[in-house]
Amino acid sequence: MDQFTADPTARVFNGKLYVFPSHDIVPPEGEGRAEWFNMADYHVFSSEDLTNWTDHGKILDQKDVPWADPSAYSMWAPDAVSKNGKFYFYFPTRLKDAGDGEKGFSIGVAIADKPEGSYKPQPNPIKGVGGIDPNVFIDKDGQAYLYWSRGKIYGAKLKANMLELDSEIKVFEEIPQKGHIEGPFVFERNGIYYMTYPHVANNTERLEYGTSDNPMGPFTHQGVIMDESASGTWTNHHSIVNYKDQWYLFYHDNDLSPDFDKNRSIRADSLFFEENGNIKKVIPTKRGVGITSGTSKIQIDRYSAKSNYGAASVFLDRLDPFQGWKVVLNKPDAWVKYNRIDFGAEGPKNVKIRARSLSGGTIALKLAGENAQEIAEVTIQKGGNWDVFSVPVKSDINAVQDLIVQLKSGAGIEINWVQFEK
């Protein structure tokens, strides 16, 4: 990743999963608002395996929108849907000569022939809509609905042209009103309509939801999808999507900018439902989703679990966070687990670890399970410089497995990646 991304809307088009996020940037000196959110354009990303992603580049810039302030840096959370063979991209931004606050925002539409763009913005915003965070839901009967926020959550039907409102605007007063609320995202599952949204119930935004038997509600408040960020990031903004029979929650945190939560990064985790349709609370992880090939450089710093002592993930270079993280193991038997590694039909013969240690030590690689079978032991020579250490794999392993990397001896070892070789 080479950029900050937030507010991800995930959609499935043509068998691929696409993510349409906002794009946090540091604006040029003298432009934008230095201590606030600054967003000048949009990119779109796609993946077929949720592990390898393609950035299709910029699809829309604030300077391309005829009705928008070209220097507002307010291209906030977007959405995209497909209808009638076209792709409709919905985005908020500040109107020309608008005042401060969300009253200065409107919502526009750009249209393309394919998800990757290019997108052509319409000459005017959607009439009658003032606010941010557009979300479009298309029901099974083909009727489209637009939702947005401005202090409260609003919604209305869309005409078949996807560019105009086709009903009175409803204010969803039944949704909790105390505390800041924004970012609606509506979806349907088994006849239940879910209205999901970020809400500051206490200190920062957490993700909540309500349910209804109608896309225009009323929605009955059901609970929390995700608690407040452990990092203290003030915002969260999300989408929920079903891809290849698994539901996912896409959201954001400030992983690559821990000291400034206006530069955010997308995350994704699997989402599950109770038998009655209620959403099970999602526990955020850096590991995220997807299956990782054993022959790739496995970034174990994005672990799915770790010991409650002696294991941490820290930046390789704090001055360049896009280089990613390293794992530090500095207590006896400390470990991290990385799940869903595909070793293939024929198991690997060797394993390589990029690591370093001032005093030297030994790393054990194990398969997660009742017996925690050890498959390799790697000695990391002392010295303190990064090096790649290679050893044979002790036993045959194949298929998809979870890997444990554990400190077997030594006072401290840093690990960048692990890679298996056929």
Side-chain angles (χ1 to χ4, degrees), residues 45-297:
F45 303 82
S46 72
S47 177
E48 293 187 60
D49 59 9
L50 307 188
T51 299
N52 301 291
W53 292 86
T54 299
D55 178 0
H56 297 283
K58 184 165 65 175
I59 59 171
L60 188 66
D61 190 282
Q62 62 184 1
K63 296 182 175 65
D64 299 334
V65 182
W67 52 269
D69 180 345
S71 60
Y73 291 92
S74 58
M75 304 288 272
W76 290 4
D79 195 1
V81 295
S82 175
K83 191 171 184 182
N84 303 325
K86 298 287 186 180
F87 295 87
Y88 297 84
F89 181 72
Y90 296 80
F91 61 94
T93 192
R94 190 176 294 280
L95 293 155
K96 287 179 179 175
D97 303 318
D100 290 337
E102 290 177 17
K103 290 183 179 179
F105 278 78
S106 193
I107 291 171
V109 189
I111 303 174
D113 293 322
K114 55 184 180 179
E116 299 88 352
S118 58
Y119 283 86
K120 182 178 180 181
Q122 297 300 291
N124 298 296
I126 301 175
K127 187 176 180 181
V129 176
I132 61 173
D133 300 341
N135 164 239
V136 174
F137 168 70
I138 302 176
D139 208 355
K140 288 176 285 190
D141 62 3
Q143 176 63 57
Y145 300 82
L146 174 69
Y147 306 89
W148 67 97
S149 62
R150 192 180 70 191
K152 298 181 179 181
I153 293 178
Y154 302 82
K157 289 183 178 180
L158 280 173
K159 290 185 178 180
N161 64 12
M162 304 295 285
L163 304 174
E164 301 172 88
L165 299 187
D166 198 27
S167 72
E168 295 295 317
I169 295 172
K170 176 176 179 178
V171 182
F172 293 96
E173 299 282 4
E174 70 273 17
I175 290 171
Q177 299 298 308
K178 185 179 179 182
H180 184 74
I181 192 167
E182 58 182 352
F185 187 86
V186 173
F187 69 98
E188 181 270 340
R189 176 182 178 271
N190 295 341
I192 300 174
Y193 296 89
Y194 294 78
M195 166 71 79
T196 67
Y197 48 88
H199 177 213
V200 181
N202 298 301
N203 300 305
T204 61
E205 288 185 347
R206 66 186 189 186
L207 302 180
E208 301 180 11
Y209 76 106
T211 58
S212 178
D213 60 2
N214 189 295
M216 290 299 284
F219 290 91
T220 301
H221 182 72
Q222 297 292 355
V224 176
I225 302 170
M226 178 173 282
D227 289 327
E228 295 180 6
S229 166
S231 73
T233 300
W234 193 82
T235 65
N236 199 353
H237 191 117
H238 68 296
S239 60
I240 294 173
V241 66
N242 187 331
Y243 183 59
K244 296 183 179 179
D245 296 323
Q246 173 63 55
W247 289 88
Y248 297 99
L249 173 71
F250 282 76
Y251 60 104
H252 69 234
D253 211 303
N254 69 335
D255 298 303
L256 293 172
S257 178
D259 300 322
F260 184 57
D261 69 353
K262 308 303 184 290
N263 286 341
R264 299 156 297 177
S265 301
I266 290 173
R267 286 181 173 187
D269 279 293
S270 298
L271 180 141
F272 300 93
F273 295 84
E274 304 280 3
E275 286 188 17
N276 64 3
N278 286 349
I279 297 174
K280 293 184 179 181
K281 188 179 288 187
V282 177
I283 306 301
T285 73
K286 280 187 180 176
R287 167 64 180 94
V289 296
I291 296 175
T292 302
S293 170
T295 57
S296 67
K297 290 179 179 176

